Amino acid sequence: MGELSSSAIGGRPVDRAGTGGRAVNVADGSWSPPAMFRSSLTWRSAIYLAISMAFGLSWFVILLVGSMLSVSLLIVWVGVPLAVLLMTAWRGGAMLERVLAKAAFGVSIPTPYRRLPEGGNPLRKLRVMATDPATWKDFAYLALLFPISLAEFVISVTLWAMVGTFLFMPFLAMDEGVEVNFGFFSYWAGNPLTALPWTLVGVLLLILAMYVTRVMAIGHALYARALLGPSSAQAENRQLRERTEHLQASRARGVDAVEAERRRIERDLHDGAQQRLLAVAMDIGRARAKLEDDPEGARALIEQAHSGTKEAISELRDLARGIYPAILTDRGLDPALSGLAARAPVPVEVEVDLPERPPAAVESIAYFIVAESLANIAKYARATRASVRVAREDTWVVVEVIDNGVGGAVAEPSGGLAGLADRAATIDGMLIVDSPPGGPTIIRADLPCTW
């Protein structure tokens, strides 16, 4: 087993926590002051809120002047290329704002634009851009950015200036004292000792400033997502397209897995049972020829044919078990997995906690995941014990196989783990491997199930 650490190699992305695959942003995580102080998002948000007024003022001037010039010069047609240039510029500015929102707030805003027509006709592309609602939502965002960023700037600069002043007042009062005057508050500190108590006020203001920064960052992120992101209909269409693409990929992997299984069965039949049965037929034919002239030789050949027949039956039984074990059909997962554990070369603890039997497809995939995992443990892991757990979590059947071996599992394209991922993908499940060097190795499959 090689290297793959904490990765999903089948089905859908790992998202059992309900985050929807989003990057962690200012609305997530702890709101405790120590956690906010340690988080880089707090300081990135504070920097953006302090400097965004420059972007807002710049775009306000560009849009105001550009719009007025474009409208006033339309009569001489000069305004048309100017309007096109302005529209292209504000779409570029909106793209930059999406990047800044990601950097400052950790919020990923998908691009909402309609797909431009292929080909070299610029007029068609300009018409699509001009009739795209996202273009005008970009305009609205940049036009409103100045008053919003101005309010954020005033609040941010006032708060953080007070924080810095009170926190470092003892240092400011070291030479000739310092006078603090915020209009509504005035204080003279003649020396560091008299200024020291105000450091505690600075700490309290720091906590307040972090909370205010977090709230303003969330508000700005929501504002950016509302105007710069896709509409609800676009988001639903995007999700449907992604879901369709994912299902197509899953079904393709399922077809490949079934085809690989068919080829394996054909190869095992041809190289195993078929060859043994052919040898049995030849031994019986030779025995029949010697039956009158050499009875003892015929007896030996019949014994050899009998032994070959038993071996062929054993191989066919193993092959049938590899296709779908009878015990799984008759008695379910718990006895079937207990049978696998009994044949394993290391002690295996089996725990199956299912309120009722899942569908046959889920049972089959869970069985073969455990079977392949135990086979890998026997071949590569050098483990002294292993455990198997199958349980229901909401609408999922979770299969976990853990061993205390050397770790370092790898999902090679033609390897066993990749094949298990393909099996899980046939029902839109996923396989996760966590196998750091030195172990332990955890193989977990999450299989969707509707009882």
Side-chain angles (χ1 to χ4, degrees):
M1 301 172 85
E3 279 188 331
L4 185 67
S5 178
S6 268
S7 56
I9 55 176
R12 57 189 183 84
V14 182
D15 182 32
R16 299 297 297 278
T19 62
R22 294 182 290 108
V24 176
N25 59 53
V26 287
D28 300 326
S30 174
W31 282 65
S32 66
M36 287 196 295
F37 185 82
R38 291 192 301 267
S39 174
S40 64
L41 281 171
T42 300
W43 309 109
R44 283 148 47 192
S45 300
I47 293 172
Y48 176 84
L49 294 173
I51 66 173
S52 63
M53 190 188 72
F55 295 105
L57 178 59
S58 300
W59 280 112
F60 183 78
V61 173
I62 292 172
L63 293 177
L64 179 63
V65 175
S67 299
M68 293 176 63
L69 286 175
S70 298
V71 173
S72 61
L73 294 175
L74 279 177
I75 194 170
V76 292
W77 295 101
V78 178
V80 174
L82 185 59
V84 171
L85 180 62
L86 179 64
M87 182 176 63
T88 306
W90 84 56
R91 278 175 59 119
M95 294 177 186
L96 176 61
E97 281 293 317
R98 293 185 188 93
V99 175
L100 293 176
K102 173 71 173 180
F105 311 127
V107 176
S108 297
I109 303 177
T111 301
Y113 304 121
R114 294 173 180 172
R115 181 174 298 178
L116 296 178
E118 298 180 358
N121 190 338
L123 293 179
R124 291 182 58 198
K125 295 181 179 180
L126 288 174
R127 184 174 61 83
V128 171
M129 291 171 59
T131 57
D132 190 348
T135 299
W136 302 101
K137 288 170 66 177
D138 291 348
F139 180 91
Y141 173 87
L142 295 175
L144 295 173
L145 184 60
F146 174 59
I148 292 175
S149 61
L150 178 61
E152 294 170 346
F153 173 80
V154 171
I155 296 172
S156 297
V157 170
T158 301
L159 266 177
W160 289 106
M162 292 176 65
V163 169
T165 300
F166 284 109
L167 275 179
F168 299 104
M169 190 180 289
F171 298 98
L172 299 175
M174 289 182 66
D175 294 334
E176 299 178 357
V178 64
E179 181 181 2
V180 178
N181 189 348
F182 285 104
F184 59 89
F185 173 81
S186 180
Y187 178 76
W188 168 261
N191 56 69
L193 190 60
T194 58
L196 188 60
W198 291 101
T199 302
L200 179 59
V201 177
V203 174
L204 297 177
L205 286 174
L206 172 62
I207 296 174
L208 175 63
M210 289 191 297
Y211 277 108
V212 172
T213 298
R214 173 72 68 92
V215 171
M216 288 196 300
I218 292 174
H220 196 109
L222 292 174
Y223 161 64
R225 183 175 285 174
L227 289 182
L228 297 181
S231 63
S232 57
Q234 286 178 311
E236 290 176 1
N237 290 337
R238 185 189 298 269
Q239 290 176 355
L240 287 174
R241 286 197 302 269
E242 291 176 352
R243 178 68 174 167
T244 301
E245 292 172 357
H246 168 66
L247 289 176
Q248 288 175 343
S250 297
R251 298 303 174 261
R253 295 176 66 188
V255 171
D256 292 341
V258 170
E259 181 63 19
E261 185 73 7
R262 183 188 65 79
R263 289 196 299 267
R264 182 189 69 82
I265 294 171
E266 288 180 349
R267 184 179 63 251
D268 290 347
L269 283 172
H270 181 271
D271 297 342
Q274 179 179 328
Q275 297 298 324
R276 291 195 180 278
L277 291 175
L278 180 62
V280 167
M282 293 176 62
D283 289 339
I284 292 176
R286 291 165 58 195
R288 186 172 57 184
K290 291 185 177 183
L291 190 59
E292 295 181 358
D293 299 335
D294 188 5
E296 291 301 322
R299 184 190 302 274
L301 288 173
I302 291 173
E303 291 292 335
Q304 183 174 326
H306 181 257
S307 177
T309 303
K310 291 192 293 184
E311 291 178 358
I313 292 173
S314 177
E315 287 189 5
L316 288 172
R317 185 184 296 115
D318 292 340
L319 182 61
R321 186 185 294 118
I323 298 172
Y324 197 90
I327 189 173
L328 185 61
T329 305
D330 298 337
R331 301 176 59 188
L333 263 178
D334 197 355
L337 296 184
S338 298
L340 285 176
R343 294 192 296 271
V346 298
V348 180
E349 180 182 349
V350 178
E351 177 187 354
V352 179
D353 183 14
L354 296 175
E356 54 186 293
R357 289 188 64 172
V362 176
E363 275 192 335
S364 174
I365 292 172
Y367 175 86
F368 285 109
I369 286 173
V370 174
E372 180 68 22
S373 300
L374 293 180
N376 286 343
I377 291 172
K379 293 178 183 177
Y380 311 112
R382 301 203 295 272
T384 58
R385 66 179 183 276
S387 65
V388 175
R389 183 179 76 91
V390 182
R392 176 179 178 176
E393 293 184 6
D394 298 327
T395 58
W396 298 82
V397 170
V398 176
V399 182
E400 278 188 346
V401 182
I402 304 174
D403 69 73
N404 65 342
V406 296
V410 65
E412 297 176 348
S414 58
L417 290 179
L420 296 182
D422 292 340
R423 279 183 181 268
T426 59
I427 59 171
D428 205 17
M430 64 179 177
L431 187 78
I432 306 167
V433 176
D434 184 8
S435 184
T441 294
I442 301 175
I443 297 176
R444 172 180 172 128
D446 287 24
L447 308 175
C449 180
T450 302
W451 276 269

